[in-house]
Amino acid sequence: MSYGPPQGGYPPYGGQPGYQQQPPPGQYPNQGYPPQQGYGPPPQGPPQGYGQHQGYPPQGQYGQPPQQPGFHHQPPPQGHSPYPQQQQPYPPPSHSPYPQPYGAAPQGQYPPQGQYPPQQHGQYPPPHQGQHQQPMYGAPAAPYGAPPAQPPGAPPTMPTPPSPGYDPNQVARVDLSGHADALRKAMKGFGTDESTLIRVLAHMQPQELPTLKQTYQQRHHRSLESDIASETGGYFEFALLAILRGPLQQDVWCLNDALKGAGTKESLLDDVLIGRSNADMRAIKTAYQHTYRRSLEADVKADLSAKTERMYLMILAASRQEDSAPVYPQAVEADVLELHRATEGKTGTEQLTVCSILTNRSDGQIRAIAQAYEHKYRRALESVIRDEFAGHMEDALVRMVRTGADKAMRDAIGLEECMKGPGTKDERLVVRVVAVHWDRQHATQVKGAYKHRYGKDLISRIKGETSGDYERILVAMLE
C-alpha cells in the first residue's frame, strides 16, 4: 500500500523563524499576532458578575508572555475587562492517578516537565469606553452563529498567519546535504540502519523537509520516499512516511484516507479539520485540490449527509473569528443564552444552531463561552453536548470545546484514547504523535497534561504499547 500522495509540483512548505525569506507584502505580518498553536494566558480581570469557579482550564500557560504589539497595554477600564479571566494553574497529580474529570475547575499546576517554555497568545484588547454594546443575536442583520459584529472604534482584527509548513511562499534555505547523504548511506547495500533514519528524521522541521527531499533527489537521483518505503515496513514505515510528507501534505493524505472507499473515518476528519485557523484551512483545501484534482468540499458532500454534512461544510468555510479578535462579554453572554436555548433550555435540540456558533468562534471566544456557561448554569458545556448530541456530531463538537479550553489536554486525551482498552489503535496513534511533534513547545505541554490527568508518563505509556523501531520513532518524536 502506498502512503504518499501523488508526487510532483506542489510548492515547498512554510518558513521557519530565523530564515531570511519573508512573507510577500500585504500578507501576514511577521509579529504581533498569536500563532495557531499558542498557549498564552487569557487577559487578567474577570468581567463584573462572574465568579472564580469556572469549569474549563485556561490554555496551558506557564509564564507571562510579552505584550503583543499594537494592543492596549494599560489596564482595561472598569466593567469592560475582556473575557475570559486568568484562572489558577493546574494542580499536581493527586493521590488518585486520575484527577478530576475534564471540565472540572482547575486548582493547581501541571507537574513540571523541565520548565514549560512560555508561548505567545493573542491578548484580547478591551472594548473602548462608551462604545455601543454588542447587538443581541436574532437581529435581522445576522443569523445565529454569525461572527459578532465589531463595535465602532474597535481595533482591526488581523488574520492569523499560517502554521509552520502551511505557507508555500516561504522556503528553508539551508544546506541539508549531510542529512541526505546520511540517509542514503543508512539504506544503501545490505540491511538498513534504522537508528540513523530515526536520528535524522524525528526532529526535522516542517520547512526543511521539501529541501531535504529535493537535496536527496539531486545528489542521489532517487526518491527519498520510495527508498524509505522499500527499506522499512509496518508502522515504522507508516510513521517515517508521515514525517516526510510534512504537516500540510500529511493532513491532505489523512483527509483522503478518511473519505476514500466505503464509510468515512470521521475521527480522522476531526483530527485534521477542527480548530484550524482560517489560513491553515485554506492551505489544506488548496493542497487537497492540487494533489487529488478534486475539491475537498465536493468529497465531503459525497461521503456525508444531512446535518453532519452541513456541520463539516461550516468547518470548511474557513470563516472562524481570527485569534486576534477581541472577546466581548456581551457577545459571550449572547452566545451562552443561545446555546442554552438551543439545547437543555427546550425540548429537542437545535443542532445546527450549536454547530454554527462553535464553528465560527475563535479558540479564545469558545473558552470564554465554556467558562461563562458553566458559571451561569452550573453545568460544563462539554457535558451538555454529551447529553444533547450523539455519534459523530457529538465527538466533533466536544473536540471544538476542548480545543478552545486546553489544546494540550485535548491532545493528551486523544493519545490515551489510542492506547486504552484491548489492543492499540496504531495508525491513529502514529497520526496523532506526528501531529503533536511538529510544535516542540506544544509537545512538552501535552506530556505535562498527560501526566496531570493520568498520573503517568506519556513516553512510558507509549513504550508499554509499542515495540522495536516503531516504538523508537514515536519516542524520539516526543523526546
Side-chain angles (χ1 to χ4, degrees):
M1 178 177 178
S2 174
Y3 295 115
Q7 298 294 319
Y10 198 74
Y13 305 146
Q16 177 177 351
Y19 291 158
Q20 297 302 314
Q21 183 75 8
Q22 299 295 329
Q27 290 196 7
Y28 301 100
N30 293 323
Q31 59 181 2
Y33 306 104
Q36 169 70 13
Q37 299 293 333
Y39 289 89
Q44 298 285 348
Q48 288 189 352
Y50 292 92
Q52 294 291 331
H53 182 78
Q54 296 171 340
Y56 278 88
Q59 291 276 20
Q61 169 61 26
Y62 314 101
Q64 184 66 26
Q67 288 283 356
Q68 295 290 336
F71 289 165
H72 298 276
H73 294 172
Q74 69 271 19
Q78 178 70 16
H80 289 273
S81 298
Y83 224 103
Q85 72 174 68
Q86 176 69 34
Q87 298 191 20
Q88 295 300 316
Y90 282 104
S94 62
H95 296 295
S96 169
Y98 296 95
Q100 52 199 341
Y102 192 83
Q107 298 173 354
Q109 186 174 12
Y110 278 153
Q113 291 274 335
Q115 290 295 322
Y116 287 110
Q119 301 195 20
Q120 292 183 348
H121 190 77
Q123 297 294 314
Y124 300 115
H128 297 290
Q129 289 280 12
Q131 68 186 24
H132 298 293
Q133 288 191 349
Q134 182 77 15
M136 293 298 291
Y137 288 95
Y144 290 124
Q150 291 280 25
T157 298
M158 300 300 294
T160 304
S163 301
Y166 289 79
D167 186 349
N169 294 307
Q170 295 181 337
V171 179
R173 302 185 183 277
V174 291
D175 180 10
L176 296 175
S177 56
H179 294 73
D181 292 347
L183 290 171
R184 181 63 192 131
K185 182 179 179 182
M187 295 183 285
K188 187 176 181 179
F190 180 77
T192 303
D193 181 0
E194 290 86 356
S195 296
T196 296
L197 300 183
I198 294 171
R199 175 177 55 81
V200 173
L201 296 176
H203 294 301
M204 188 67 61
Q205 295 296 314
Q207 307 90 333
E208 296 172 337
L209 286 164
T211 303
L212 174 67
K213 290 186 282 188
Q214 182 181 25
T215 302
Y216 190 93
Q217 178 72 48
Q218 290 173 345
R219 292 177 69 84
H220 303 290
H221 308 288
R222 305 173 65 91
S223 161
L224 180 55
E225 293 98 324
S226 296
D227 282 355
I228 291 287
S230 65
E231 294 292 330
T232 62
Y235 293 116
F236 180 52
E237 173 195 351
F238 187 78
L240 292 177
L241 291 176
I243 294 170
L244 282 175
R245 292 185 196 109
L248 178 56
Q249 282 294 347
Q250 172 66 3
D251 283 349
V252 168
W253 183 91
C254 287
L255 290 170
N256 182 65
D257 185 54
L259 296 169
K260 70 182 181 181
T264 306
K265 299 176 182 176
E266 282 87 354
S267 65
L268 198 51
L269 288 182
D270 293 347
D271 281 2
V272 174
L273 297 177
I274 288 178
R276 305 307 293 265
S277 68
N278 295 332
D280 284 2
M281 186 66 74
R282 287 189 288 267
I284 290 168
K285 293 194 293 183
T286 299
Y288 189 94
Q289 174 77 46
H290 178 92
T291 303
Y292 299 109
R293 300 293 188 262
R294 302 187 306 271
S295 125
L296 180 54
E297 291 92 339
D299 281 0
V300 167
K301 287 180 181 179
D303 240 46
L304 302 173
S305 61
K307 293 179 181 179
T308 303
E309 172 196 332
R310 293 179 66 183
M311 178 187 69
Y312 281 106
L313 292 178
M314 291 177 189
I315 294 169
L316 289 171
S319 60
R320 297 185 72 200
Q321 288 284 287
E322 301 289 350
D323 287 349
S324 61
V327 179
Y328 293 108
Q330 301 96 327
V332 169
E333 181 69 13
D335 281 342
V336 166
L337 292 172
E338 186 61 17
L339 287 170
H340 183 264
R341 187 199 65 79
T343 55
E344 56 185 349
K346 59 175 294 184
T347 302
T349 303
E350 294 183 10
Q351 295 177 327
L352 292 180
T353 297
V354 178
C355 294
S356 183
I357 291 174
L358 294 181
T359 58
N360 277 285
R361 301 297 179 260
S362 69
D363 289 347
Q365 291 166 347
I366 291 174
R367 183 164 63 255
I369 290 166
Q371 292 174 345
Y373 193 100
E374 180 162 0
H375 175 85
K376 187 175 185 69
Y377 297 109
R378 302 303 179 190
R379 289 198 68 199
L381 181 57
E382 180 178 327
S383 298
V384 174
I385 292 172
R386 292 287 190 197
D387 289 345
E388 299 288 332
F389 292 83
H392 304 311
M393 186 174 286
E394 172 193 340
D395 293 339
L397 293 173
V398 166
R399 185 173 177 86
M400 292 178 204
V401 174
R402 287 180 175 179
T403 299
D406 188 344
K407 287 182 181 177
M409 184 62 76
R410 176 203 71 184
D411 289 345
I413 294 171
L415 291 171
E416 174 61 21
E417 288 173 350
C418 300
M419 297 181 283
K420 69 181 181 181
T424 302
K425 304 172 184 69
D426 293 287
E427 285 195 12
R428 189 181 300 179
L429 179 62
V430 170
V431 167
R432 289 179 174 176
V433 169
V434 170
V436 165
H437 103 285
W438 294 121
D439 184 335
R440 303 304 304 162
Q441 294 179 338
H442 177 59
T444 298
Q445 295 190 35
V446 170
K447 289 184 285 187
Y450 189 92
K451 181 75 171 179
H452 167 74
R453 183 174 181 88
Y454 300 107
K456 61 184 74 172
D457 178 69
L458 174 59
I459 289 178
S460 297
R461 180 79 165 101
I462 289 175
K463 287 181 177 180
E465 293 289 325
T466 58
S467 61
D469 295 323
Y470 168 40
E471 171 197 324
R472 292 167 63 204
I473 185 62
L474 294 185
V475 168
M477 281 189 281
L478 293 175
E479 285 182 337

